[in-house]
Amino acid sequence: QVQLVESGGGLVQDGGSLRLSCVASGRTASMYTLGWVRQAPGKERESIASISFNGRNTYYADSVKGRFIISRDTSKNTAYLQMNSLKPEDTAVYYCAARFRGESEYQFWGQGTQVTISA
């Protein structure tokens, strides 16, 4: 089992920045890829970024590439999502998720944190 707790959401203006954090706990948490998935009202869930268990490999969706940066402090089992140049279309609930190496689907999810960008 892996428990995930997100923090850092909030309301910012168009063009602003936010940093989300995700603390992963559990005996094997350090062995999991961590990712961020967002869901806007009326839209499908979108996987936007992920980082491997050792922090060496990252993935970004085209919609956030060049604006968002995912990182990981392996000593704290914490993943971060630095979000820059935010746009109103980035408004969504952001979920931290974890999947074991080799798995294609996320197995564990956090409770989500709301990010709202005002125009």
Side-chain angles (χ1 to χ4, degrees):
Q1 282 288 82
V2 176
Q3 293 79 43
L4 303 169
V5 179
E6 306 103 330
S7 61
L11 170 66
V12 296
Q13 291 187 331
D14 190 358
S17 297
L18 275 176
R19 189 176 84 152
L20 305 182
S21 299
C22 172
V23 179
S25 61
R27 191 170 57 87
T28 59
S30 62
M31 301 171 67
Y32 282 71
T33 290
L34 297 179
W36 292 94
V37 179
R38 68 185 182 185
Q39 187 162 26
K43 294 190 176 180
E44 292 189 356
R45 202 171 271 188
E46 179 187 18
S47 179
I48 58 171
S50 66
I51 188 164
S52 60
F53 75 101
N54 56 10
R56 293 179 184 171
N57 298 300
T58 57
Y59 156 83
Y60 295 97
D62 288 343
S63 58
V64 305
K65 199 174 292 182
R67 299 188 298 124
F68 292 10
I69 301 171
I70 190 169
S71 60
R72 183 168 188 163
D73 185 335
T74 54
S75 68
K76 296 180 180 179
N77 271 345
T78 300
Y80 304 96
L81 187 68
Q82 178 66 44
M83 306 187 293
N84 303 317
S85 302
L86 284 161
K87 309 173 183 179
E89 50 263 44
D90 293 317
T91 295
V93 177
Y94 284 69
Y95 297 91
C96 180
R99 65 175 187 264
F100 195 68
R101 283 178 284 171
E103 296 289 339
S104 59
E105 300 292 326
Y106 287 113
Q107 298 154 288
F108 301 101
W109 295 81
Q111 80 284 358
T113 185
Q114 178 70 45
V115 171
T116 303
I117 314 303
S118 62

